Amino acid sequence: MDEVGMGESGQWPEAQDADAFLHESDVREWDAEVGWVPPRPDAVALVLEAADLEAVFAAQRFARVDDLRLEALDDVTRYGGGSRELVMRSLRLELAAALRVTENAAGMMLARAESLVHSYPAVLESLSRAGVTVRHAEILVDDLDVLQPDVAAGLVGRALELAESLPVGSFRRALRRLIDRETAPSLTERHEAAVRTRRIMVEPAGDSMSWVHALVPSVEAHAIYGRVTQKAVVIRDHDRGTTRGGQSGDGSERSLDEIRADVFCDLLIDGTVPQHPEQARGIRATVVVTVPALALLGTEGVTDPAEVEGVGPIPIERARELAGNASGWMRVLTHPETGAVISVGRTRYRPPPELAKLVKWRADRCMSPGCGKPGLSSLLCKRVGVGG
């Protein structure tokens, strides 16, 4: 008796083309007898399948790169002679030539492979089954490797849970918050050391253009960007001859990004610029700081850092300075575990201006998937009709 699906000759029928086989009308009789028709995957499923395969192969590549590293170091030990750095330099160059990448990229690949195999095997295992993407794994390794080994080992489990549940952009921010909270007691010392590295640099970009990079404290950086943005919005509305949020005309106006760049150059090169409309002069950025009350008062044992909207944790000393210079205070009580707003201080029934501000700031960031813009900036962008 023939097995199910075999023809009279006892042989399996010749396989059809995959695309044709997936159409129900073209299924052979032996499939129809069984009553099973393979589902036809949609385009998104096919893309996802390719992405999963990329993660699986990336995990294999990391494992083999580390095998290559161990083999090279083993040869040094076995035959003697040559320093470890010389061997690693030769290995980086060999790997760079083979993969047609730079020596720096090869070095990063070797370092990440070593960390994944020996320090974070659970992350490598998740990558091998497409639980995380290659970018998730790279961000996790890069951020944890700069920490003390015991601190990194304590965070890797929670970091992996975030990586398996969040898109890349949201994961990067969540991991940064996780690390900042864990290392909050040493934030002041680390910030003081990091401030000593502040600098600016110019990077050529082609077509007679260049990037101007500035490594400065986060509070100042966001205040600079906020002031430039507010000026740019006023100038754009002035150019249109409309009020805030007016629609563009024939499309010939400068974009908000273009005006931001022009304002940035004007302020740095000329200082005060009389050509700016009156409404754009004297604009100052507002920095929203959330400070735990007990930390602000210096209560012993309280190490929770202050947070700046869109920036993240800042040293408590910096927060005290900002709070001391504030023209007004608004009492906001939050849940100690979830951070949810419980109540807002007010003295009259109608919501005060401070409460109106809170409504604008209640969302930490834009709700679009993966968007990293602070909620207030996202609201501003929507009001003037640009991205976000």
Side-chain angles (χ1 to χ4, degrees), residues 223-239 244 254 256 259-260 262-264 266-267 271-274 276-285 380:
I224 291 169
Y225 186 80
R227 185 184 182 196
V228 169
T229 298
Q230 291 182 43
K231 282 181 171 288
V233 168
V234 174
I235 292 172
R236 185 182 189 184
D237 291 339
H238 179 270
D239 290 346
R244 182 187 293 272
R254 292 177 294 173
L256 191 62
I259 301 175
R260 259 194 291 249
D262 294 341
V263 169
F264 179 80
D266 289 342
L267 291 177
T272 57
V273 185
H276 286 179
E278 186 67 30
Q279 306 96 304
R281 300 177 193 171
I283 291 178
R284 294 295 183 270
L380 176 64

Side-chain angles (χ1 to χ4, degrees), residues 113-356:
E114 179 181 1
S115 295
L116 284 169
V117 173
H118 301 284
S119 300
Y120 317 118
V123 179
L124 183 62
E125 189 276 332
S126 180
L127 182 64
S128 68
R129 56 178 171 80
V132 298
T133 68
V134 181
R135 192 67 191 120
H136 282 92
E138 291 175 345
I139 292 172
L140 188 149
V141 170
D142 293 347
D143 283 3
L144 293 189
D145 269 357
V146 299
L147 305 176
Q148 294 294 330
D150 57 333
V151 176
L155 292 178
V156 63
R158 283 176 286 173
L160 180 57
E161 291 178 1
L162 294 173
E164 291 180 336
S165 60
L166 296 175
V168 171
S170 300
F171 166 66
R172 186 198 298 273
R173 294 188 295 273
L175 178 59
R176 190 69 260 167
R177 288 194 298 269
L178 178 65
I179 293 173
D180 286 334
R181 292 193 183 99
E182 189 71 20
T183 59
S186 62
L187 178 59
T188 299
E189 293 78 7
R190 291 184 290 110
H191 177 71
E192 290 175 354
V195 167
R196 299 296 297 273
T197 67
R198 62 189 183 278
R199 61 190 182 275
I200 63 172
M201 60 179 292
V202 177
E203 176 189 357
D207 297 326
S208 298
M209 299 289 287
S210 293
W211 288 98
V212 177
H213 301 284
L215 180 62
V216 297
S218 295
V219 171
E220 282 78 359
H222 283 260
I224 291 169
Y225 186 80
R227 185 184 182 196
V228 169
T229 298
Q230 291 182 43
K231 282 181 171 288
V233 168
V234 174
I235 292 172
R236 185 182 189 184
D237 291 339
H238 179 270
D239 290 346
R240 290 176 178 172
T242 64
T243 58
R244 182 187 293 272
Q247 298 299 315
S248 58
D250 57 4
S252 61
E253 297 90 349
R254 292 177 294 173
S255 69
L256 191 62
D257 280 333
E258 290 178 286
I259 301 175
R260 259 194 291 249
D262 294 341
V263 169
F264 179 80
C265 293
D266 289 342
L267 291 177
L268 288 181
I269 296 173
D270 298 325
T272 57
V273 185
Q275 291 79 8
H276 286 179
E278 186 67 30
Q279 306 96 304
R281 300 177 193 171
I283 291 178
R284 294 295 183 270
T286 300
V287 178
V288 183
V289 185
T290 302
V291 188
L294 295 179
L296 187 64
L297 295 174
T299 303
E300 184 177 356
V302 178
T303 59
D304 294 343
E307 292 201 14
V308 174
E309 179 195 28
V311 178
I314 63 173
I316 193 66
E317 289 78 9
R318 189 75 171 97
R320 290 194 185 103
E321 177 186 345
L322 293 172
N325 293 332
S327 58
W329 289 70
M330 177 173 64
R331 178 177 63 85
V332 180
L333 298 181
T334 60
H335 192 282
E337 295 180 359
T338 64
V341 174
I342 298 175
S343 69
V344 178
R346 60 180 183 175
T347 57
R348 56 186 183 276
Y349 178 76
R350 297 187 65 181
E354 287 77 8
L355 184 56

